[in-house]
């Protein structure tokens, strides 16, 4: 007998079943249940047959979904023991899908805090390195992103893309291959932060001078000042995120 939690599930409407919403919907449905805590760490999921019946889909769809979730570090299988939920600390939290699933849950405020802690650890140090050793061409890439941010004006949608490019260009300017790779990995994490921080009225325009200060200190080759400028920018971002979380409550973004 499996040790999963027993829950009574409402049968989805015929027009909103995972099967009708597409082949990845089964993965989405199971992922949200795992991330939502329906099953405890190390507990065993229902069998493929049981899950297929609950979701109203074919067993092969469930098997494919479980394979995807194993690849993302959420689940693991043991021979003759079924599929179990891995401890959250083992999940691939910087995977874009895992971030999105987690972001749509009930712990958005805590997740936003964790993302900001990550950024505060990495980005000020990256600014310091870039100011000390980046070639002019790499700094010019940061400036190009800044100019696109400036051109976006008050439009938060148009502003978000160049803003992301600005922060990634700083990581690239370090010349450190691990930081460069990390910049690509945290793209989804940065997007989550921007989704909340740019909700505040006038947030893009308010943050623009602080981005300019970061850029200026990197161009001036002042590592300590560049670090401080980024710390101040992230402080503003964190305040905007906290207000964004308060505004959104438990409602996932559209």
């Amino acid at each position: 007998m499996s040790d999963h939690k027993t829950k009574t599930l409402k049968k989805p409407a015929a027009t909103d079943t995972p099967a009708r919403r597409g082949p990845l919907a089964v993965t989405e449905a199971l992922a949200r249940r795992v991330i939502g805590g329906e099953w405890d760490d190390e507990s065993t999921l229902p069998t493929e047959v049981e899950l297929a019946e609950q979701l109203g889909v074919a067993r092969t769809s469930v098997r494919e979904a479980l394979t995807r979730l194993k690849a993302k570090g959420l689940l693991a299988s043991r021979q003759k023991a079924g599929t179990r939920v891995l401890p959250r600390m083992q999940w691939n939290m910087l995977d874009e899908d895992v971030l999105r699933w987690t972001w749509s849950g009930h712990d958005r405020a805590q997740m936003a805090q964790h993302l900001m802690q990550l950024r505060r650890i990495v980005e000020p140090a990256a600014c310091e390195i870039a100011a000390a050793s980046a070639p002019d061409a790499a700094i010019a890439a940061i400036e190009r992103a800044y100019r696109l941010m400036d051109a976006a004006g008050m439009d938060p949608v148009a502003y978000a893309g160049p803003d992301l490019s600005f922060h990634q260009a700083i990581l690239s300017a370090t010349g450190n291959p691990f930081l460069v790779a990390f910049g690509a990995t945290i793209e989804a994490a940065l997007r989550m932060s921007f989704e909340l921080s740019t909700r505040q009225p006038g947030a893009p325009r308010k943050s623009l001078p602080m981005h300019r200060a970061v850029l200026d200190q990197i161009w001036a080759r002042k590592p300590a000042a560049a670090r401080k400028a980024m710390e101040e920018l992230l402080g503003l971002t964190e305040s905007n995120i906290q207000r964004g979380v308060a505004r959104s409550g438990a409602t996932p973004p559209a």
Side-chain angles (χ1 to χ4, degrees):
M1 182 180 292
S2 64
D3 59 353
H4 64 272
K5 296 179 181 177
T6 301
K7 293 201 173 187
T8 302
L9 299 176
K10 292 183 180 180
K11 189 173 182 180
T15 57
D16 194 38
T17 62
R20 288 178 180 271
R21 283 182 281 132
L24 295 180
V26 179
T27 303
E28 295 269 344
L30 289 177
R32 294 183 191 281
R33 292 171 66 181
V34 170
I35 289 173
E38 181 167 337
W39 299 287
D40 294 329
D41 290 356
E42 299 293 354
S43 66
T44 303
L45 269 63
T47 65
E48 290 179 3
V49 172
E50 292 171 329
L51 289 172
E53 183 178 349
Q54 290 175 8
L55 296 172
V57 299
R59 183 177 176 181
T60 53
S61 297
V62 171
R63 185 178 299 119
E64 291 174 5
L66 294 176
T67 298
R68 292 190 183 99
L69 297 183
K70 291 171 190 174
K72 294 181 183 297
L74 274 63
L75 306 175
S77 294
R78 290 177 292 193
Q79 191 172 11
K80 298 182 180 180
T83 300
R84 76 185 194 281
V85 179
L86 289 174
R88 189 171 292 258
M89 294 300 291
Q90 296 183 31
W91 295 358
N92 183 5
M93 291 301 298
L94 291 179
D95 177 89
E96 183 173 2
D97 288 330
V98 177
L99 275 168
R100 178 168 50 81
W101 295 327
T102 306
W103 195 250
S104 65
H106 299 295
D107 296 327
R108 300 183 73 205
Q110 184 179 47
M111 184 184 182
Q113 180 183 20
H114 290 164
L115 289 174
M116 281 309 306
Q117 288 172 344
L118 176 64
R119 295 186 65 185
R120 282 185 177 277
I121 290 169
V122 174
E123 294 189 72
C127 285
E128 192 171 23
I129 296 169
S133 60
D136 287 353
I139 303 177
I142 304 172
E143 179 156 3
R144 283 194 296 274
Y146 169 81
R147 293 190 181 282
L148 289 173
M149 292 165 63
D150 190 18
M154 297 292 288
D155 184 345
V157 176
Y159 189 89
D163 193 358
L164 175 63
S165 297
F166 180 91
H167 291 271
Q168 288 183 314
I170 290 173
L171 294 173
S172 296
T174 65
N176 182 314
F178 296 102
L179 283 174
V180 173
F182 188 73
T185 303
I186 67 170
E187 177 176 350
L190 291 174
R191 288 190 185 280
M192 301 300 179
S193 295
F194 298 154
E195 189 273 329
L196 282 177
S197 65
T198 57
R199 282 184 175 182
Q200 307 312 308
R205 184 54 56 181
K206 290 176 183 177
S207 73
L208 192 65
M210 303 184 83
H211 284 83
R212 179 78 239 188
V214 171
L215 175 62
D216 286 346
Q217 297 304 334
I218 292 176
W219 267 126
R221 305 293 183 175
K222 296 180 178 179
R227 171 186 278 273
K228 183 178 179 181
M230 177 56 78
E231 289 172 345
E232 291 174 352
L233 172 58
L234 293 178
L236 174 64
T237 300
E238 187 166 19
S239 296
N240 287 335
I241 285 174
Q242 289 170 350
R243 287 193 290 269
V245 170
R247 281 172 175 262
S248 65
T251 303

